[in-house]
Amino acid sequence: MNLYSLLEKGFPKDKKSCAIETHDGLYYSWGDLERATNMMANLLKDLQLPIGSRIAVQVEKSPEALFLYLATLKAGFVYLPLNTAYQASEIEYFIENANPDVVVCSSKNFSWVSKIAFKANTSHVFTLDDNRKGTLLDRSVFFGDKFKAVPRDDDDLAAILYTSGTTGRSKGAMLTHRNLGSNALVLKKFWGWKKGDVLLHALPIFHVHGLFVAAHGALINGSKMIWLPRLDTAQLIQHMPQSTIMMGVPTFYVRLLADKRFTKEVCKNMRLFISGSAPLLTETFTQFKKLTGQVILERYGMSETIMLVSNPYKGDRVGGSVGVPLPGVKVRVVNENNKTCDINEIGDIQVKGPNIFKGYWQMPEKTAEEFTRDGWFKTGDVGRWGGVTNSGRVPKNYLCIVGRSKDLIISGGYNVYPKEIESFIDDMDGVDESAVIGIPHPDFGEAVMAVVVPKDGVKLDVQKMINTLKSQIANFKVPKQIEITLSLPRNAMGKVQKNVLRQQYVETNSSKA
Ligand code: MCA
Ligand code: AMP
């Protein structure tokens, strides 16, 4: 079934009721949402694109950007969202790799994005801004506001999400209508979505968390969303008394707790706070409970799998654990011989279920590498069942994530692959080699740090290096700290010992503080 049709089943009968209320006081009814979606779907249909065409979108968050996503689904095409922080070289790679027929970008980026798109033989480039302007809307108004969803098979692609690669370039995770639909249905029930719920939405909508977990949840439940362009603590606090659910990365909770205006009174109407995308510190979990009386529900997922494991809505939510496998999802923890680990034994987390992606776009070998012979997807995360965290004993059917086997930094909920940053630094004049590591950060959980060895006799200018990186890669990937050193620690095999580096700089930074 077309995912749009599944979501639509949850829309309320009263089309005049509010679907989206924005931070600047605009109201979009469910009727407005449907009409705008239909006009855009008619425009896409009129382009006579081949079946399976990708629609690549790099725009600021707005209700119209959500309608464009819904229109893409409804018209039967494949949505490819791109982080607004991506720079030209990153966008060039995604467009060349995914070969979209349509690219939609902000008008401020039109000149460079369109150049990249037309070079890659994209036939149509539209603009869409966060102020209800852009050529996409200018063209859509000429189309009718009725549209019947194009039938899609469960296995047809609905979206491609690029995830950075531990080695080499990013891979496009192909998500089907079944993957997304099954997860949306499971989460609706598991998190007890109910009539009258209002979602406070401040996440970006170009990743799984903001789009497929948060927005899908509200859509399939016919719930109103309070739509904030980004995380702004003052705005969260202002709108929380009118909301019942919020989803955020741990930074949301850290920042709320640091704001004196955030009190128990502010959340008196809230029934659920959900955290994910990165580990929630048990200190944050505990402080939040102490201040508000509310227990944050932590869950775990990936771009390739959407949501996998969650603390229960009804039942114990355990700090330091991501909870139990969602209904229909199988999770196992295995040792290096692929044998199931005992309770409290650490191993690799592998998963199976209707939510697991179809594979990486045009990378069959990479896809094969990520699955075991018996069909389990290797998450690259390391964990255990049960055990003890600093907030107490964990039940034996609850999963704890203790680390990652993949060389990955998660900063403020965004993934950064050290290898990618190292390759940009190593290309700089005067650099011999580099190692990029994640170090603890009070706001982002982890921060990117680079340790760089200059070529003999070269004096590197750290600020200049940072400025160069800012022009090449998304700003959240740029190291917050660069340290120059004479050599990198290596093991007997010649491999850089990142754990040693991490330890060294965590100690140096804390003695400086
Ligand atoms: C912004 N900056 C960052 C980050 N975000 N640095 C490191 N990590 C970040 N995440 C830097 C900018 O480069 C800039 O630096 C400065 O901070 C201010 O930027 P600004 O945009 O104003 O930051 P912000 O608005 O405070 O944003 C922080 C944020 C945001 C709210 C944590 O990054 C965010 O919304 N993160 C959520 C990501 C997310 O949705 N992840 C889900 C992925 P300078 O001043 O030097 O330029 S989906 C997923 O992971 C799976 C499936 C799952 O389980 O959900
Ligand atoms: P992404 O590739 O952006 O989808 O990020 C997925 C990764 O985020 C997972 O493989 C985990 O490493 C991490 N992640 C998501 N949720 C959690 C969580 N609650 N605790 C720890 N790590 C998480």
Side-chain angles (χ1 to χ4, degrees):
M1 183 199 249
N2 187 317
L3 170 65
Y4 181 89
S5 308
L6 179 77
L7 297 173
E8 192 184 28
K9 283 187 180 181
F11 294 2
K13 297 236 165 8
D14 178 7
K15 299 291 171 211
K16 291 206 180 97
S17 60
C18 185
I20 297 179
E21 177 187 339
T22 65
H23 69 294
D24 48 359
L26 294 177
Y27 287 79
Y28 293 74
S29 69
W30 287 92
D32 294 334
L33 176 149
E34 288 182 348
R35 278 189 296 276
T37 298
N38 289 345
M39 287 156 93
M40 288 186 202
N42 274 313
L43 164 62
L44 293 177
K45 184 180 168 209
D46 189 63
L47 300 176
Q48 301 191 344
L49 309 173
I51 290 170
S53 282
R54 274 80 56 212
I55 316 287
V57 179
Q58 191 200 29
V59 299
E60 296 299 334
K61 182 176 175 183
S62 69
E64 290 73 19
L66 180 69
F67 307 154
L68 172 59
Y69 163 61
L70 294 173
T72 304
L73 287 181
K74 202 167 185 182
F77 299 117
V78 180
Y79 192 67
L80 196 169
L82 295 165
N83 193 318
T84 47
Y86 291 146
Q87 301 285 325
S89 68
E90 292 160 313
I91 293 293
E92 189 168 11
Y93 169 75
F94 298 126
I95 291 185
E96 280 179 0
N97 189 260
N99 213 247
D101 282 305
V102 177
V103 169
V104 184
C105 64
S106 305
S107 46
K108 68 176 187 326
N109 297 337
F110 178 78
S111 60
W112 64 267
V113 174
S114 58
K115 222 180 263 168
I116 292 171
F118 292 134
K119 197 172 129 225
N121 294 323
T122 296
S123 6
H124 309 275
V125 181
F126 295 102
T127 59
L128 176 63
D129 293 329
D130 54 1
N131 57 0
R132 296 174 306 289
K133 293 206 165 81
T135 57
L136 184 87
L137 299 179
D138 296 344
R139 286 282 301 279
S140 297
V141 293
F142 293 108
F143 289 87
D145 62 4
K146 302 268 182 296
F147 191 92
K148 204 164 170 295
V150 173
R152 296 273 77 194
D153 283 339
D154 286 353
D155 257 350
D156 285 336
L157 295 196
I160 297 180
L161 263 84
Y162 274 87
T163 71
S164 305
T166 27
T167 52
R169 302 306 302 256
S170 289
K171 300 166 286 185
M174 299 188 286
L175 295 166
T176 65
H177 288 259
R178 185 210 317 273
N179 294 151
L180 294 164
S182 64
N183 215 239
L185 282 173
V186 164
L187 294 178
K188 178 179 172 183
K189 203 159 166 209
F190 201 78
W191 289 342
W193 278 90
K194 54 181 159 204
K195 205 163 182 269
D197 267 334
V198 175
L199 176 73
L200 187 51
H201 194 303
L203 284 161
I205 55 165
F206 39 67
H207 285 301
V208 163
H209 198 163
L211 190 59
F212 302 146
V213 188
H216 274 184
L219 290 165
I220 202 167
N221 194 52
S223 282
K224 170 175 154 178
M225 288 188 257
I226 297 182
W227 195 252
L228 309 183
R230 60 182 54 80
L231 171 57
D232 173 324
T233 323
Q235 282 185 7
L236 278 189
I237 294 169
Q238 182 193 335
H239 293 283
M240 206 169 279
Q242 293 83 47
S243 313
T244 64
I245 303 188
M246 189 188 85
M247 300 189 198
V249 297
T251 305
F252 277 47
Y253 297 101
V254 170
R255 289 196 190 169
L256 279 171
L257 285 170
D259 195 313
K260 286 208 169 56
R261 293 163 296 183
F262 183 62
T263 59
K264 190 170 182 171
E265 180 65 15
V266 167
C267 8
K268 70 171 192 293
N269 201 30
M270 291 291 293
R271 72 164 182 88
L272 189 55
F273 287 98
I274 300 178
S275 176
S277 306
L280 180 73
L281 294 181
T282 45
E283 291 91 291
T284 313
F285 175 85
T286 311
Q287 270 182 35
F288 200 87
K289 190 169 162 189
K290 204 164 153 209
L291 181 76
T292 66
Q294 306 242 11
V295 185
I296 299 174
L297 179 155
E298 187 174 9
R299 60 39 171 200
Y300 158 61
M302 291 181 74
S303 299
E304 288 91 337
T305 65
I306 334 172
M307 294 301 99
L308 292 162
V309 174
S310 170
N311 272 278
Y313 176 57
K314 291 185 182 141
D316 283 344
R317 298 180 201 157
V318 180
S321 163
V322 288
V324 298
L326 288 166
V329 179
K330 287 189 189 148
V331 179
R332 70 180 190 185
V333 177
V334 296
N335 63 21
E336 60 278 10
N337 303 319
N338 237 15
K339 290 269 174 312
T340 308
C341 290
D342 291 332
I343 303 300
N344 203 12
E345 189 190 343
I346 291 172
D348 292 329
I349 302 173
Q350 299 182 349
V351 296
K352 252 187 192 178
N355 50 318
I356 311 301
F357 75 135
K358 199 171 175 173
Y360 295 111
W361 174 254
Q362 291 179 337
M363 291 185 184
E365 292 89 7
K366 285 260 172 258
T367 305
E369 276 170 27
E370 303 302 330
F371 283 87
T372 63
R373 272 203 224 126
D374 50 348
W376 292 80
F377 175 62
K378 305 181 209 165
T379 62
D381 292 310
V382 174
R384 59 154 205 268
W385 296 109
V388 179
T389 70
N390 35 359
S391 57
R393 184 160 287 286
V394 179
K396 61 179 195 282
N397 57 334
Y398 279 52
L399 185 71
C400 294
I401 296 175
V402 299
R404 303 165 200 134
S405 59
K406 51 198 174 191
D407 190 13
L408 164 72
I409 301 164
I410 304 186
S411 177
Y414 286 141
N415 290 5
V416 181
Y417 279 90
K419 182 113 191 114
E420 183 189 1
I421 319 304
E422 285 160 8
S423 68
F424 279 98
I425 297 178
D426 293 349
D427 276 353
M428 289 180 182
D429 282 345
V431 170
D432 186 22
E433 62 172 348
S434 64
V436 167
I437 52 173
I439 51 167
H441 189 276
D443 186 34
F444 295 128
E446 274 185 296
V448 179
M449 174 182 183
V451 184
V452 182
V453 180
K455 288 206 167 100
D456 272 351
V458 174
K459 193 168 181 316
L460 291 170
D461 180 337
V462 165
Q463 195 49 52
K464 221 166 132 189
M465 292 172 78
I466 289 183
N467 293 344
T468 306
L469 287 170
K470 281 192 171 177
S471 68
Q472 293 173 316
I473 49 175
N475 55 11
F476 63 87
K477 298 181 190 171
V478 176
K480 300 271 184 263
Q481 188 181 347
I482 295 185
E483 289 289 331
I484 308 295
T485 185
L486 288 177
S487 64
L488 298 173
R490 291 196 136 81
N491 65 14
M493 313 289 290
K495 201 167 178 267
V496 175
Q497 290 169 302
K498 290 201 170 176
N499 51 341
V500 173
L501 270 182
R502 217 171 283 124
Q503 185 68 26
Q504 191 178 323
Y505 285 101
V506 169
E507 276 163 19
T508 318
N509 283 353
S510 59
S511 65
K512 274 192 212 154

